């Protein structure tokens, strides 16, 4: 199979499902929420992946006041921070992040900063030097704001960056920002990423020639 080669100047990395497997926690929290409102847990999870919690609630309960969603989202975030059972790195994530040491990269996640720190620590992964979290944006994924801010914070145009995402909302956000995106894992394949990797183990990072580096997908 031929390799796919990208030569970005910076990387924009989603967290949940891309670097950290937090599916067990996410499923527990959203199953409880779905049952409370008589919703199908599978449909709730289909919407929830990659989005901020209050955005998911607004999609599923469109007639409910946003202040109620925001309040419930705060309670859910507290529950998620307290629950790290089953939080592990996705295959290849430790080596992938090690290879990025010294290269421009940012975390662009729908989690808030405390949750991002909790989950990355629980998975034993180093935090990227730049964090774009829920507090950083006015609109979460699938809005492109997070990726646009991540590119700006690193000092590059969106088209010079490469995003890594697993969810429909995240891939849509990257496309809307004008950032090429590699979809990671089985969830990503159906959502038309620029390229798809089964795991991060399929990727090789090679420095140079400056100011670019090479990302090879086998």
């Amino acid at each position: 199979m031929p390799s796919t080669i990208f030569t970005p100047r910076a990387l924009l990395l989603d967290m949940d499902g891309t670097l950290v497997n937090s599916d067990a926690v996410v499923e527990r929290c959203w199953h409880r929420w779905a049952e409370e409102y008589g919703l199908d847990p599978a449909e709730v999870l289909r919407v929830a992946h990659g989005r901020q919690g209050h955005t998911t609630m607004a999609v599923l309960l469109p007639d409910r006041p946003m202040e109620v969603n925001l309040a419930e989202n705060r309670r859910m975030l507290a529950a998620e921070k307290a629950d790290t059972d089953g939080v592990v790195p996705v295959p290849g994530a430790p080596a992938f992040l090690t290879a990025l040491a010294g290269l421009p990269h940012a975390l662009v996640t729908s989690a808030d900063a405390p949750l991002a720190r909790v989950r990355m620590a629980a998975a034993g992964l180093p935090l990227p030097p730049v964090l774009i979290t829920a507090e950083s944006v006015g609109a979460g994924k699938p809005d492109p704001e997070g990726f646009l801010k991540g590119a700006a914070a690193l000092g590059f145009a969106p088209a010079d960056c490469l995003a890594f995402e697993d969810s429909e909302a995240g891939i849509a956000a990257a496309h809307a920002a004008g950032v090429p995106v590699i979809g990671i894992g089985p969830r990503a394949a159906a959502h038309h990423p620029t390229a798809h990797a089964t795991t991060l183990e399929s990727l090789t990072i090679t420095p140079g020639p400056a100011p670019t580096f090479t990302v090879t997908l086998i």
Side-chain angles (χ1 to χ4, degrees), residues 78-92:
E80 288 184 283
K81 292 182 190 79
D83 185 358
T84 57
D85 187 25
V87 174
V88 296
V90 303

Side-chain angles (χ1 to χ4, degrees), residues 199-214:
T199 72
L200 290 172
E201 295 169 316
S202 305
L203 297 160
T204 302
I205 309 294
T206 308
T212 64
F213 50 95
T214 299

Side-chain angles (χ1 to χ4, degrees), residues 118-140:
V118 164
R119 285 196 175 153
M120 292 289 282
L125 297 175
L127 279 171
V130 172
L131 303 183
I132 304 297
T133 61
E135 304 95 326
S136 308
V137 299

Side-chain angles (χ1 to χ4, degrees), residues 8-198:
R9 300 178 70 179
L11 302 186
L12 304 173
L13 312 174
D14 176 50
M15 182 179 69
D16 293 302
T18 301
L19 299 174
V20 175
N21 182 346
S22 57
D23 283 359
V25 178
V26 172
E27 289 174 9
R28 282 193 292 272
C29 288
W30 283 105
H31 268 257
R32 288 194 296 268
W33 187 87
E35 289 169 359
E36 182 178 350
Y37 291 97
L39 300 174
D40 177 7
E43 174 61 17
V44 169
L45 284 167
R46 188 191 69 77
V47 175
H49 283 299
R51 299 177 192 263
Q52 293 186 33
H54 63 84
T55 305
T56 296
M57 295 170 189
V59 171
L60 294 166
L61 299 174
D63 297 327
R64 196 165 73 158
M66 182 55 74
E67 57 266 25
V68 177
N69 297 335
L70 290 167
E72 280 201 355
N73 186 50
R74 288 191 290 271
R75 290 193 292 273
M76 185 171 285
L77 284 170
E80 288 184 283
K81 292 182 190 79
D83 185 358
T84 57
D85 187 25
V87 174
V88 296
V90 303
F96 178 74
L97 287 173
T98 296
L100 293 184
L103 298 175
H105 62 290
L107 194 71
V108 181
T109 175
S110 295
D112 66 9
L115 181 58
R117 292 189 173 94
V118 164
R119 285 196 175 153
M120 292 289 282
L125 297 175
L127 279 171
V130 172
L131 303 183
I132 304 297
T133 61
E135 304 95 326
S136 308
V137 299
K141 301 170 186 176
D143 190 278
E145 183 181 358
F147 284 117
L148 294 173
K149 285 195 169 179
L154 293 171
F156 298 103
D160 289 331
C161 299
L162 179 63
F164 291 76
E165 270 285 358
D166 73 300
S167 70
E168 180 179 12
I171 291 169
H175 283 317
V179 180
V181 54
I182 296 180
I184 303 297
R187 217 168 15 233
H191 304 305
H192 311 293
T194 310
H196 179 255
T198 305

